[in-house]
Every structure is written in C-alpha cells, then in structure tokens.
Amino acid sequence: MKREFSMRSVHTLFKLDLRSRFGSAQKLSVRQRILQIFNYLLYIVVYGILVAGMYFLGQIFVMRSGLDVEYLVIVTTATMLLATIVATSTVIKNLYQSGDNEMLLRFPVSGQEILVSKSIYCFLHNLIVCLLIMLPMYITYGVVMQATATDYVAYVIIVLLSSFLPFFIANIIAVPVMKIINAVKNKFVLVLIFTIIIVCVVFIVYLVLLGNVLTYMKDNNQSVFSGAMVARYRQFANNAYPFKWYAEFVHFFSVMCNERAKDCASATVVNQAAAQMGLRFLYITAINLVLGAVAAIITSHEYYKTILYGIETQKASFKKKMKDKKRSVSHALFKREFSLILRSFNYSFQYLAMACAAPVMVFFCNRLAATMGTESVGADIMPGLTLMVIIIFITITVSFASTCISREGDCFYHTKIIPVSFTKQVVIKFCLYAVVATISVALCCLLSGLYYTSEEGGKVLSAVDVGAIFGISELLVLSLTSLSIISDIKSPTFNVSGDGELVSANKNVALAMVVGIVVAIAYGLFAMIFNFLPLTIGSVSISTPGHMENIYLILAALSGALLIGSVSGLFINLNKRYLNIVP
Amino acid sequence: MSKKFKCVDCGTLNVIDVNKKVLVCPNCGKKYSNRFYEGVDKDNVELTLSKQEIQGGLEFIGSGYNPQLEENPDPGSMLIVRKLVKTYPKSDRVAVDNISFSVRPGEIFGFLGQNGAGKSTTIKCLTGILPFDSGEIKICGHDIVKDPIKAKMCMGYVPDNHSVYEKLTGREYVNYVADLYKVPTDLRRERLDRFAKLFKLEFAIDRQIKSYSHGMKQKICIIAALIHEPKLWVLDEPMMGLDPQSTAEIIAHMREHCANGNTVFFSSHNLDLVKKLCHRVAIINEGKIIDMFDLAGNEQNKANLEERFFRLTGTYEDRLFEDYIAQESADMRPAAVLNNND
C-alpha cells in the first residue's frame, strides 16, 4: 500500500466514483421517459407541498405569536438534525459500507486518498441536502418576515455555513454507529424488536405533535401558544446550542441591515447587532473548527481499520445447530421463507416491523383522526375513517408480497428444480403474507375496537362496525396480497446485492402501494359519505344515514369480487406463467 | 466456392464445394467437416492435411452421432432428450437446435462444448428451469413437462453458479431440500453426516452459508443434490473452484453413484477429467450436437478427445493445439525464471 498522499490520486478516485454513479445513461423508451418525467413532477409537487407547509408553520409562529427568533432556532435545529441524520446515513453508506472499498484497496492508493475522495462526494451530497432542506425554510421565513434582499444574502451564507456542522457530526457519529452495526450483526430478533419500538415511538411522537398543531389550527384557542408553551419555546431556543448561533447570526444580521437602512439609524443598535453577529460567527467558526478537527482525527484514525474490519467480517455469520428431522413440504417452504425474511434487517423491517407496528400506528392515527374528525363532522365518520386507516397500513404490509419472487434472486432456479408444484410454492408464500397481515389486522381491530367501543373512547364504534371492518379488511388483505404476487410474477426484477438481498424495492411495490391507497381512499370515503347521506338507486333506498349495515355489505361484496378476481388471476394458468419466468 | 483438397485416406486430389457442411471424398467416400480448414486457406490453393492432423485421426465428423438412433432410445434410459429446441425470448438465435440423446443407467455422460454452445441451456431445460419450444425430455420415464414432480424427484442438480440460500446454515439448507424430497429422518441424518465428513464440512455445516468459501458452497450444493440419492445426477461444471481432495471425492462419488445403477450427466470444460471419467460424451456446438462417442473401452477415442473437440468446435489451430498438448505434459515454467532462481 502506497503511503504518501497525492491529490492527483484523489482526483482520479473522485472522478471514478462520479462516473460509476452517474456515468451510464440508460436509453429510455418513450413510456419510460414519460414515467420519469411524471416521477420528477411528483417529486416537485411533494417538495412544493413541504415548502408550503414550512411557510404555513412560519406564519403561525411568526405572525400569530411573534416568536420569530425562537421559530428560527427551532426550525434551524430541526433542519440541522435532519441534515445530520441524512449525512450520517450518507457517510456510513459511502465511506464504510461501500461495495467498492475492497476493490479500491487493491489499487496503489492509500486509505487516506480513498477517504478524501469519498468524503468530497459525501460533503457535496450533504451540501445539496442542506440547500434543499434549509434554503426553503429560510426563504419562507424571509417571505413571512418581509425580508430585504440583504437578508436573503444572509440566508444563503448561513445555509452554506450550516452545511459543515452536520457533515462533521456525521463523520464523528459514523464510527460508533459502524461499531454498533458490526456488534449487532446476526442479532436479528433483537434488532427487529428495537426497530419496532423505534418505529412506534417516532410515529406516536409525530402524531402527538401533529395533533397539537391541528388542535391549534382547528379552534385557534392557541393551546400551542399558551403562556406555558411560549415559555417552553423560549427556554428551548435559549438552550439549543449550537443551533441557536446560526439562527441568531441571521437575526442580528437582519437587525443590523434593517437598522442601517433606516433614515434615523442608531449607531449603538447597529454596532451591538454587528458585534453579536460577529460573536455568533466566531462561535460557529470555532465549533466547526473543533468538530472538523475531531472528525478528521477520528475518521482518519478509524477509517482504514473500520473498512478493513468490515471487509474481514463481511462473511460474519452465526452458528445454529438444528435437528435433522423430517418436516412436511409446506412446513419446510414456510420455514425457509420466514427465516430468510427474519434474517435480513431490510426485509424484516419492511415486513415484520411494519406489520407489528401497524396496530399501534392505527390506534394513534385513529385517535388523532377521531379527535379532529368527530369534532368537526361528527362521530359518524369513525367507521369509515378506521377502515381507511387500516387499509392504508394493510397496503404497506402486503406490498412486501410484491417482491416475493424477485427476492429469490440468484436462487430462483431452486424454485424450478424442486419437486414441488409452482402452485404450492405460491400458496405457501401467499399464506405467509396473508397470515402475518391477518394477525396485524386482527390486532388493529382489537385495539381500536376495545378502545372505541368503550365509554373512554366515546363509543364511536360498535361491535358490528369492528366486525365488519375486520371482515372487509381481511378480504382486502387476501386480494391485495394476490395482486402483489401477480405483479411480481409478471415482471420480477432479480437485482440482488452481494448478500442476496434485493438492491431496492421494485416498481411492483410502488404499484401495490398505489392500488392499496386508492382502494383505502375509495372505501373510506364511501363509508364516511354514506353514513351521512342516504344511498339510493333510483327509488330504491339502499342505506339510510346512521345505518352502516348495507354499506358494509356493499363493501364486503366489492371486496369479495376483488378477492375472487385477484385469486383467479393469481392461480389460473400459474404454472405456465411461472415456468416462463427467466432470471 | 471450390477448393482443391487432398484426401488423407486415398490421396486423391479433389475439387470440392466448401459451402457444403460435410465434404465427402468422391473417390473413397470419406467425410470431412468444412470446419477443418476454415480460415486456414483463403486463396484457393491446394490444401493437404499435415502429418499431425492425420495422426489426430479426424477422418470423420459426427460419425458417432446418429440423430435417428438417438430419437428412438432404449425406453429404460434414465434421461431421454428428443428433438429439443429452445429459443430465448427476444432472440433470433436458436440456443438448442433439435438435439436428441439418451443416457443409460450406470453411465457417466459428459456434455462438452465451448462457452455459449448450449450446454447450460440444455441442462436448464432438462432440470425444468427453462421452458422449451418443442421436443421431449424424460427423466426416469417421467416427462418433465407433463409430470414434472415425479421427474424432479428422480433428479439432483448442481448448478454452475453454486447459488444457495446464504442466510440459512448448511444443515438448514440440506434439511430444507431433504424435506422437499421427502427424505426420512434416519436416512437424511446418516447421509448428511456421511457427506459432511466426506467433503470436510463437519465444522461448517451449522454455520450460515454466507460465510462459506466458493468451494464450500459448491460442496453444500452437491450434498443437497445427493441427499435424496437421485437416480439421475446432473452437474453443471461441477469441479470449478474445488480443492483437489474434494474433486477426488466427487469423482469417487460419481463412480460409486453409477456403480449402484444410477446415472451422472455432467458438463465440463476439463477434457482430461472427461476422458478419465465418462463412459460417453456428446459435443455440442452452436446448439447442435455434432458428435457423440464412447470413451469407455475405446482407447483411440480417449486419445483423440482433445483434438477431436478442438476440430469439431471449429477452434483448431496448429499453434494453439500444440500448446495445449504441450501444456498437458510439459514443464511450463519459463526458463528465465528458473535461471534467475538458480
């Protein structure tokens, strides 16, 4: 290994890295191009909605409460934390878990050169993320505050300055994170339980926060801006080091420029603001220098060792003694499928963690929706709302079935050579997904049912409602699972990584999600609307407000038809379609 | 296009149309493949086979392969492939073009061909991995299309890429396969222990397969393929990446397997191994079987295998072949290195 450091090597490595990422432009068909444009438009729309949300939030804080600096501190903290999370993930993926590390080590380049070339990419990535996250936040703040042109210059400066801190913190965090990742390798159940708890906690916190915001928006009683809350915001803003320095830099810059622009500008105010701004700049520079130095020392010291350790433990595995005994074919297939899901962090998160967390998520989602919905339009929307929320979570869970063939990867040939019919193999997969989703739905209904049929929950649901919601949801579990498997049989993508896992979710997952969400919205709206309005066809009254029985029957009939159609679509002519799958 | 050509048998100088695939000497009826001198002569000059080529004994082409005969094999054959045609979707090339052959009980059958000749495609068709356009494949009398379960029950397959479920342990994987083939507990226990010992995998069998080396993965594939003692054992380039001891063990096991009345069908690039191990071989080129002949008890065929393969697949070049033969026996260390060491 060459020891000296050469910027020429860094340049070559960086160019190589960029070329491997963006070098090959695929020739797209017209349809693919249209889809690509549609995707970009979708991203722009989603981004636009987020920016609008930021503007709205800024207006609430700044215009209604006058907490402009506090708002700036809070959002700066939030955006920098978000940028730090993204940067940490980028650093781990690109620096430590990058598949080309082993290959690069064979070249006559030093570990330092590899580190620097990859760090340049990580920093640029981080800069773009910071610009995308922070710039709209500052711009919307500026619009709300009716900022001057010089303020916007300050915003750009502060965003550029802000891009260093997340990057340095990410580099420091990445090392222990990698050590933890290496330590929990093969502790699948532990990681799964931990993941479920994290997912639930994050979701609950999110919904509680959202609930508070919505409560404020709804009745404008300023519960979020009560005296106690405002004091808390101030306290937080005062203690949010080092993020408050960034916000205060912008604030004092603005004060200084605005004061200067006045005809009767006060030199004292201007000087004080300039001094404070300079002080903040010094703080920011100092903390960046310190963290940058710490990051450089830790990373340069640990990087080479960590990637070598990663390469050495790439094949780290566990040992497990099992009994050699005969099991039924179905049992063997079922066990194998389940083991492969459980032993993959990605798969168990996508499937088992979501299925396990769904009851908690549905309950809290329902509680929020119930509070907001029942207060504005009445308790009658609850059955429809519950149904919609459950179907959305079913969709997330069963969409995993749309990779059931693709996930076989290089071992797909195995499903062809074993003396088990394709139908049986697909039935087993179908059953596994259906069983897990069924348990998840049952728990969702049980939890929501127990609470919302009780006095405490306001008796907004009846036992009939809960039973019907379970029945309809179950029919949809089976239908959506069938549809997901059909899509994967039709166009599987065996794009697996070195450890045999799918590189990314394929288009079938997106398709399954879209179908499920459309069904959820359609069913939810149908149930909500016709619990208020009478449903008549000609002169025949099908359903009257407040009587959901016929609505449930209609939805159950629709779901039944969907189930018959999807199951037929899955199993009719399955052998021929399966045989024609060629990896 | 015509060329002058001197028959190696009768010595007659003939003018022959080289656009024909098979050239026949008008005087003595000896057959030649036009591949024999493709690229050798472009100028329509007199072509005579060199002494070495004559010694190669290549006086015929495909004389060992009789498609009509292979289309009507002994019904007791372990593997019958009849008029198999396979074309890949979105490809105008016929990957396997109307081939027929059969493999008898107790036989080790070698399947030879260059890269892309159609070996793996044929194997994938007969194992049920790929659908085919037309033809018939029977494994132990069971049609792979009409009765796939019974056909697959009689077969064990070792793929060329050794892909296995890497998140399972070796024992879990073998047990999984044994469950699918309905192997009773006591039998699988005995076989698994025996094979693990045979292939030196006792200490790794309870570890996840992802920690295995290339050769170990190959070994676990072989154990899984043998756990139900298949009547037909199909191996696609089985010795690749194996250590010499394991290669020896597999060869020994192949022989033992066939001695028990079972059959081994395997593809390989290792001509030396094929020569020593196989009862019969077929050579496939551009999707067609161009030759099939016995090796067992036929010393001339054994001796000529390499040259025959080189010539029939159209890759014969004096220099290359001489190098190949030289490499088989000679000390290949460059002299300069030896001198330096001295």
Side-chain angles (χ1 to χ4, degrees):
Chain A
M1 175 74 52
K2 207 170 77 169
R3 281 283 151 219
E4 62 271 26
F5 182 86
S6 151
M7 274 314 285
R8 201 187 163 125
S9 299
V10 171
H11 181 240
T12 310
L13 285 169
F14 181 64
K15 258 191 356 190
L16 188 76
D17 191 16
L18 286 187
R19 204 166 293 162
S20 71
R21 284 172 203 275
F22 311 108
S24 57
Q26 265 189 325
K27 214 174 178 181
L28 299 176
S29 66
V30 177
R31 189 169 160 266
Q32 285 169 321
R33 205 171 283 275
I34 291 169
L35 272 173
Q36 199 182 39
I37 293 168
F38 178 75
N39 275 341
Y40 288 143
L41 284 175
L42 199 69
Y43 289 138
I44 292 168
V45 168
V46 171
Y47 189 64
I49 291 170
L50 287 174
V51 173
M54 281 184 191
Y55 173 73
F56 184 66
L57 205 66
Q59 249 195 345
I60 293 172
F61 265 83
V62 178
M63 301 307 286
R64 296 194 187 174
S65 67
L67 295 169
D68 52 337
V69 182
E70 287 76 7
Y71 167 74
L72 211 50
V73 175
I74 291 168
V75 288
T76 302
T77 307
T79 49
M80 285 184 85
L81 286 178
L82 183 62
T84 307
I85 293 168
V86 176
T88 309
S89 155
T90 312
V91 166
I92 289 173
K93 270 188 200 158
N94 290 284
L95 244 58
Y96 297 102
Q97 293 184 329
S98 177
D100 63 357
N101 279 338
E102 196 176 343
M103 186 191 74
L104 291 176
L105 286 175
R106 291 183 216 140
F107 293 149
V109 287
S110 67
Q112 290 294 327
E113 288 161 346
I114 299 172
L115 170 66
V116 173
S117 72
K118 285 183 180 254
S119 294
I120 293 172
Y121 173 80
C122 292
F123 180 72
L124 290 177
H125 185 275
N126 173 61
L127 184 65
I128 293 167
V129 169
C130 285
L131 285 171
L132 285 173
I133 298 173
M134 292 177 187
L135 210 52
M137 184 270 287
Y138 281 108
I139 290 171
T140 51
Y141 173 77
V143 172
V144 172
M145 294 293 289
Q146 294 173 327
T148 58
T150 46
D151 288 332
Y152 286 103
V153 174
Y155 299 155
V156 174
I157 293 169
I158 205 69
V159 170
L160 294 177
L161 274 178
S162 303
S163 62
F164 292 100
L165 195 70
F167 179 66
F168 294 147
I169 297 175
N171 272 285
I172 297 168
I173 294 174
V175 173
V177 168
M178 274 310 295
K179 291 201 186 295
I180 293 170
I181 289 174
N182 286 333
V184 299
K185 259 182 189 171
N186 300 323
K187 295 191 171 53
F188 306 105
V189 178
L190 186 77
V191 173
L192 180 63
I193 292 168
F194 184 71
T195 316
I196 292 167
I197 294 169
I198 292 285
V199 167
C200 290
V201 168
V202 169
F203 196 75
I204 291 166
V205 169
Y206 168 73
L207 283 184
V208 169
L209 288 177
L210 187 68
N212 285 341
V213 174
L214 290 177
T215 307
Y216 168 76
M217 285 160 54
K218 200 180 115 318
D219 55 21
N220 207 13
N221 63 5
Q222 300 213 9
S223 62
V224 215
F225 296 115
S226 60
M229 283 302 286
V230 168
R232 272 191 207 173
Y233 296 140
R234 291 219 162 101
Q235 195 190 6
F236 176 81
N238 279 332
N239 296 306
Y241 294 103
F243 309 110
K244 67 175 270 187
W245 296 331
Y246 290 85
E248 285 173 352
F249 174 85
V250 172
H251 171 71
F252 288 120
F253 185 90
S254 179
V255 170
M256 185 184 73
C257 294
N258 290 341
E259 191 61 31
R260 262 190 201 154
K262 283 180 186 170
D263 294 335
C264 49
S266 157
T268 321
V269 174
V270 172
N271 288 342
Q272 275 181 351
Q276 291 296 331
M277 191 189 78
L279 205 58
R280 300 301 181 274
F281 183 75
L282 271 180
Y283 291 156
I284 292 169
T285 311
I287 190 138
N288 275 312
L289 282 175
V290 171
L291 287 177
V294 173
I297 293 165
I298 292 180
T299 313
S300 58
H301 187 255
E302 292 292 322
Y303 177 68
Y304 195 60
K305 275 197 283 184
T306 313
I307 58 167
L308 276 184
Y309 183 77
I311 291 166
E312 281 171 352
T313 58
Q314 211 169 25
K315 288 187 165 186
S317 61
F318 64 84
K319 203 168 180 178
K320 186 186 169 196
K321 175 98 178 152
M322 72 172 289
K323 278 185 182 171
D324 299 320
K325 66 169 187 178
K326 192 180 172 188
R327 296 165 187 86
S328 70
V329 171
S330 304
H331 183 201
L333 289 168
F334 202 89
K335 189 170 182 288
R336 195 268 301 170
E337 187 83 13
F338 187 77
S339 300
L340 293 185
I341 293 172
L342 187 69
R343 290 175 189 178
S344 155
F345 294 135
N346 286 337
Y347 295 165
S348 60
F349 174 76
Q350 286 171 37
Y351 187 54
L352 297 172
M354 291 312 284
C356 294
V360 179
M361 287 150 98
V362 167
F363 178 78
F364 278 92
C365 228
N366 252 342
R367 203 169 72 161
L368 175 67
T371 315
M372 303 312 301
T374 52
E375 283 172 15
S376 56
V377 287
D380 290 344
I381 64 156
M382 266 309 283
L385 210 55
T386 309
L387 185 63
M388 186 165 79
V389 173
I390 289 180
I391 299 171
I392 288 173
F393 281 101
I394 288 172
T395 302
I396 296 170
T397 311
V398 302
S399 66
F400 185 66
S402 59
T403 57
C404 68
I405 306 295
S406 304
R407 267 183 288 112
E408 295 285 344
D410 293 336
C411 292
F412 177 72
Y413 81 92
H414 212 276
T415 67
K416 294 270 192 91
I417 63 162
I418 56 175
V420 182
S421 69
F422 301 138
T423 307
K424 186 164 191 166
Q425 293 184 52
V426 171
V427 166
I428 297 295
K429 284 176 189 281
F430 177 84
C431 288
L432 174 63
Y433 304 126
V435 163
V436 174
T438 300
I439 293 169
S440 181
V441 168
L443 287 173
C444 287
C445 290
L446 190 71
L447 205 60
S448 294
L450 283 175
Y451 183 73
Y452 293 109
T453 51
S454 68
E455 290 286 346
E456 200 185 343
K459 287 195 169 178
V460 285
L461 288 178
S462 67
V464 174
D465 289 329
V466 176
I469 289 169
F470 175 73
I472 294 166
S473 303
E474 185 51 30
L475 289 172
L476 287 175
V477 161
L478 304 175
S479 312
L480 293 175
T481 307
S482 301
L483 289 173
S484 295
I485 299 177
I486 289 171
S487 68
D488 204 30
I489 289 176
K490 195 178 172 199
S491 55
T493 47
F494 298 96
N495 189 11
V496 291
S497 60
D499 56 358
E501 286 184 23
L502 269 192
V503 171
S504 58
N506 58 19
K507 65 178 192 293
N508 301 328
V509 176
L511 187 69
M513 293 287 284
V514 169
V515 171
I517 286 169
V518 167
V519 170
I521 293 170
Y523 273 47
L525 285 180
F526 185 79
M528 282 188 254
I529 290 169
F530 292 109
N531 204 17
F532 276 111
L533 303 172
L535 174 61
T536 53
I537 297 174
S539 57
V540 183
S541 172
I542 308 290
S543 163
T544 52
H547 294 90
M548 287 289 285
E549 292 81 3
N550 287 346
I551 299 293
Y552 288 140
L553 280 178
I554 292 169
L555 291 178
L558 274 175
S559 309
L562 188 64
L563 177 63
I564 293 167
S566 57
V567 170
S568 312
L570 176 59
F571 290 107
I572 292 174
N573 216 7
L574 174 66
N575 271 338
K576 195 180 167 195
R577 280 181 291 141
Y578 200 97
L579 192 63
N580 282 329
I581 302 172
V582 178
Chain B
M1 184 188 171
S2 297
K3 284 187 177 179
K4 285 179 186 171
F5 181 70
K6 191 176 183 180
C7 179
V8 291
D9 235 24
C10 62
T12 321
L13 198 63
N14 302 296
V15 177
I16 298 170
D17 182 359
V18 293
N19 290 326
K20 287 182 179 172
K21 274 194 172 180
V22 178
L23 311 178
V24 184
C25 173
N27 186 43
C28 66
K30 187 161 283 298
K31 289 177 183 171
Y32 299 91
S33 162
N34 63 1
R35 292 177 189 282
F36 286 3
Y37 53 89
E38 242 177 21
V40 173
D41 187 298
K42 305 257 186 232
D43 306 319
N44 201 23
V45 296
E46 183 177 322
L47 284 165
T48 50
L49 295 172
S50 71
K51 195 180 172 194
Q52 188 183 12
E53 285 168 318
I54 296 165
Q55 282 175 341
L58 291 162
E59 298 87 1
F60 55 86
I61 60 145
S63 61
Y65 179 56
N66 184 340
Q68 281 76 34
L69 194 70
E70 292 298 332
E71 282 164 21
N72 300 293
D74 177 359
S77 297
M78 287 283 196
L79 170 65
I80 298 171
V81 175
R82 200 178 278 139
K83 295 183 174 178
L84 180 69
V85 178
K86 167 68 188 170
T87 316
Y88 284 102
K90 296 177 185 168
S91 166
D92 51 358
R93 188 172 155 263
V94 184
V96 176
D97 191 1
N98 201 26
I99 65 169
S100 302
F101 62 91
S102 62
V103 186
R104 298 182 280 262
E107 192 173 43
I108 301 180
F109 190 91
F111 202 46
L112 306 179
Q114 288 177 276
N115 296 328
K119 296 188 303 292
S120 289
T121 302
T122 307
I123 288 178
K124 283 176 181 169
C125 288
L126 66 91
T127 48
I129 294 172
L130 290 179
F132 43 89
D133 306 342
S134 61
E136 182 186 45
I137 295 171
K138 281 188 171 176
I139 318 282
C140 304
H142 305 293
D143 192 302
I144 192 74
V145 176
K146 293 174 190 155
D147 200 356
I149 306 297
K150 282 184 183 163
K152 289 171 187 176
M153 268 291 187
C154 303
M155 184 169 41
Y157 169 59
V158 180
D160 55 347
N161 58 4
H162 332 315
S163 293
V164 270
Y165 296 108
E166 300 204 354
K167 292 196 183 333
L168 301 182
T169 66
R171 191 181 296 277
E172 281 177 335
Y173 177 63
V174 177
N175 266 286
Y176 165 67
V177 175
D179 286 332
L180 302 180
Y181 286 92
K182 299 174 180 165
V183 181
T185 302
D186 49 346
L187 273 181
R188 81 171 64 179
R189 195 173 291 152
E190 179 271 314
R191 286 175 194 166
L192 181 52
D193 288 346
R194 180 159 51 92
F195 289 134
K197 203 171 172 187
L198 192 72
F199 293 114
K200 314 277 184 293
L201 272 186
E202 306 112 298
F203 302 108
I205 197 82
D206 292 313
R207 292 205 75 85
Q208 260 187 312
I209 297 173
K210 75 172 184 179
S211 67
Y212 287 17
S213 68
H214 180 83
M216 286 159 84
K217 281 181 196 165
Q218 173 76 325
K219 288 174 189 174
I220 205 74
C221 279
I222 290 170
I223 295 175
L226 290 174
I227 197 71
H228 62 291
E229 297 261 299
K231 287 182 179 162
L232 172 64
W233 189 18
V234 180
L235 304 101
D236 199 351
E237 298 179 21
M239 310 305 178
M240 243 187 338
L242 283 186
D243 52 60
Q245 296 92 325
S246 301
T247 305
E249 293 293 3
I250 292 176
I251 291 170
H253 199 80
M254 281 167 135
R255 292 159 62 97
E256 190 190 323
H257 195 68
C258 291
N260 294 334
N262 300 311
T263 301
V264 173
F265 177 91
F266 83 105
S267 75
S268 181
H269 291 298
N270 187 340
L271 298 180
D272 197 44
L273 173 73
V274 169
K275 195 194 292 183
K276 289 172 188 162
L277 189 62
C278 293
H279 294 96
R280 270 199 307 156
V281 290
I283 299 174
I284 185 167
N285 194 41
E286 292 176 5
K288 289 177 192 288
I289 290 184
I290 51 172
D291 204 355
M292 191 186 288
F293 47 92
D294 290 327
L295 287 173
N298 190 326
E299 291 308 314
Q300 196 190 3
N301 282 350
K302 272 190 198 174
N304 294 338
L305 177 67
E306 288 92 346
E307 190 171 352
R308 195 163 174 166
F309 177 78
F310 272 58
R311 288 185 182 278
L312 287 172
T313 52
T315 53
Y316 184 85
E317 275 180 47
D318 280 351
R319 185 186 57 77
L320 274 180
F321 186 70
E322 281 163 13
D323 281 354
Y324 178 82
I325 295 297
Q327 285 165 14
E328 289 291 294
S329 52
D331 185 337
M332 289 168 63
R333 280 169 291 219
V337 175
L338 288 174
N339 290 338
N340 286 342
N341 288 342
D342 293 341

